[in-house]
Structures are given as C-alpha cells and as structure tokens.
Amino acid sequence: MKPFLIIGNWKLNGSIIFVKDYINKIKKFLNKKKLDYCKISIAPAYPYLYLFNIYLNNIQMSLTAQNVDIHLSGSFTGEISINMLKDIGVKYVIVGHSERRMFHKETDKYISKKFYIIKSNGLIPILCLGETELQKNMNQTKDICVKQIDVILNDYGIEAFNNTIIAYEPIWAIGSGQLANPIEVQKIHKFIREYISQKDFKISKNIIIQYGGSINENNMDMFIKQKDINGFLIGKASLTAEDFISIVKKAEKILSSI
Ligand code: 13P
C-alpha cells in the first residue's frame, strides 16, 4: 500500500468563523470515518494554527505551517520559529513554495537552509518545486527539479531527505485551472524518486512525493492511481470543507481498490 498524504494549503485565506465552521465539519466527518488509506492535514495561516490545535483535538488530522523562520529564537521581529510551531502541535512545514520564491524572493540557497533547519529540529519539511510554463515549453522540467533538489543535496547530503516530503507543483498549474497531465506528472515523480535513489535507495522508497496544481474532486482520479504520486498539496479546493471532505472520501475509495 503506497503512503498518501493530502494537505490543504489555505494560503492567505481564513477567519475565526471560517476556521470554526471548517473544523466542525471536518470533525463530524472524521468522527464517523476512520481513514485507512490516507493521512490528511491543513495548512492555515499562522493565527489559526492554534485554533486548529485546540478544536481539532488530535483527531486523524495533523497540522501544517505555511512557512517558518530559519532562526530558532532571538531578535527577528515578525518571525515565527520552529519551536513555536512545535509548541502548537505542527507536524509539517511547507518550504520553497513558488509563491514565496516569486513574491518574497526566497532563493534556492535560503530554501535549502530552511529545509535543513526544519528537518534537523524535528518537523517534516515539504519541499515545493516545479517549473514555469516557459521552462516546461523549453523541456527544462527535469533540470529545474534537479537544480532545486541539488542545492539541498550539496549543502547537507542525502540524509537531509530522510522521511521528508517533496511536492511537485508546476507553477503554470497553480491556481490556474490548467491541470497537468497525470501521466506526465507520474514521469516527473518517477524521475525525482530515481534521482534520490541514485544517492540512497531506502530514502527514495520512503520519500513522499505530492502533486499540487488545480487538483479537485473531479480531476483527481488519474493522479491517485499513479504509482509515484503519494499525495496532493491542494490550494483552492481545500478552502471549502465540503470539497476537501469529498476529496478525502474519494481518495480513500480509490486507494482501497489499487
Ligand atoms: P491550487 O490547488 O489552488 O492550484 O494551489 C496549489 C498550491 O499552490 C498548493 O500549495
């Protein structure tokens, strides 16, 4: 049975009322349904992580943070540390999302450092990577993935990837409704796994490789069935509890039959 992890990345959305309503709906669903085939998590904005922690009460859903600082404590006004995230029950941290690379000018080197600090301080980093439309058209997808992985490999070695997550998110597919071809995505995921495998077979076997980019209940089937796709990082479709629950229900059903 392949591991499958579905994470809802809320990005810059949400409010107290929204979070409470969402949690109530998720709780109602999870109280009745034991998840046998997939794990689920939500990445709300910082102010709502604690609300999730309190109201969710550890029921079959973990917490993801959308970002973290590279420092553990000290004079860094406006930042949030890994220890703070651990304090409020966070398990995963997204790093290298294309929106942070683009809008916050985060470089590969900085992302590498952040990835390593998250990993070495006991949380699980989710390394987002992927190509732009132009890079895709120039057949550079694999080169881009290698480049973004190599920075971490060169800086910290293959051990840094032990029990971590990679999320392949082609930039042109994010929030655009322009869905990637599941067969093409499988090829990229297989390539990424094989690339890691050249350095360490066991780590490559265990690494979770998620896909992200315009995934919803209606287009997810073919992705789930691909051997090297181990989950989804979902933006828009995770913003409605009903849609997120439908995705999880469907994932359970499909995964039980493959
Ligand atoms: P969408 O599902 O809205 O395309 O967003 C994907 C994403 O960026 C998840 O991190």
Side-chain angles (χ1 to χ4, degrees), residues 3 24 32 58 84 95 106 112 118 149 190 192 213 216 232:
N24 282 335
K32 281 193 249 147
N58 283 332
M84 291 171 187
V95 53
E106 291 194 3
S112 165
I118 295 166
I149 290 172
K190 185 166 182 272
I192 292 172
N216 61 43
F232 297 135

Side-chain angles (χ1 to χ4, degrees), residues 49-183:
L49 277 168
Y50 191 52
L51 264 187
F52 258 94
N53 186 27
I54 295 172
Y55 289 107
L56 211 53
N57 234 340
N58 283 332
I59 54 154
Q60 299 190 83
M61 182 186 237
S62 53
L63 270 180
T64 299
Q66 295 179 23
N67 188 28
V68 74
D69 190 36
I70 55 169
H71 302 98
L72 295 182
S73 65
S75 304
F76 301 99
T77 303
E79 296 298 347
I80 307 276
S81 77
I82 291 167
N83 289 337
M84 291 171 187
L85 295 182
K86 279 162 86 171
D87 221 12
I88 55 168
V90 166
K91 182 170 183 184
Y92 307 103
V93 187
I94 296 171
V95 53
H97 195 285
S98 56
E99 287 152 13
R100 289 210 67 83
R101 292 179 192 261
M102 216 173 348
F103 303 127
H104 299 272
K105 307 280 174 275
E106 291 194 3
T107 62
D108 283 341
K109 201 79 183 160
Y110 179 73
I111 289 161
S112 165
K113 193 168 184 181
K114 201 187 278 195
F115 181 93
Y116 181 72
I117 286 167
I118 295 166
K119 162 80 180 146
S120 55
N121 283 282
L123 292 182
I124 302 174
I126 301 166
L127 174 69
C128 297
L129 44 80
E131 80 286 2
T132 62
E133 185 149 38
L134 182 66
Q135 288 162 339
K136 173 183 151 59
N137 293 339
M138 289 169 75
N139 270 329
Q140 291 175 347
T141 300
K142 289 180 181 170
D143 296 340
I144 294 297
C145 293
V146 164
K147 180 175 161 277
Q148 294 177 337
I149 290 172
D150 268 356
V151 200
I152 299 174
L153 278 179
N154 295 337
D155 289 349
Y156 304 105
I158 186 66
E159 267 303 314
F161 283 96
N162 197 13
N163 286 322
T164 61
I165 299 168
I166 289 175
Y168 170 58
E169 296 205 312
I171 296 169
W172 48 271
I174 295 176
S176 64
Q178 207 185 325
L179 193 70
N181 177 325
I183 308 293

Side-chain angles (χ1 to χ4, degrees), residues 210-224:
Q210 296 179 305
Y211 167 76
S214 298
I215 278 287
N216 61 43
E217 189 202 349
N218 301 319
N219 60 28
M220 60 190 273
D221 299 35
M222 280 298 283
F223 287 88
I224 292 208

Side-chain angles (χ1 to χ4, degrees), residues 29-41:
F29 163 62
L30 291 178
N31 279 335
K32 281 193 249 147
K33 168 94 181 123
K34 181 175 170 290
L35 301 180
D36 294 315
Y37 300 95
C38 58
K39 292 194 168 130
I40 61 173
S41 180

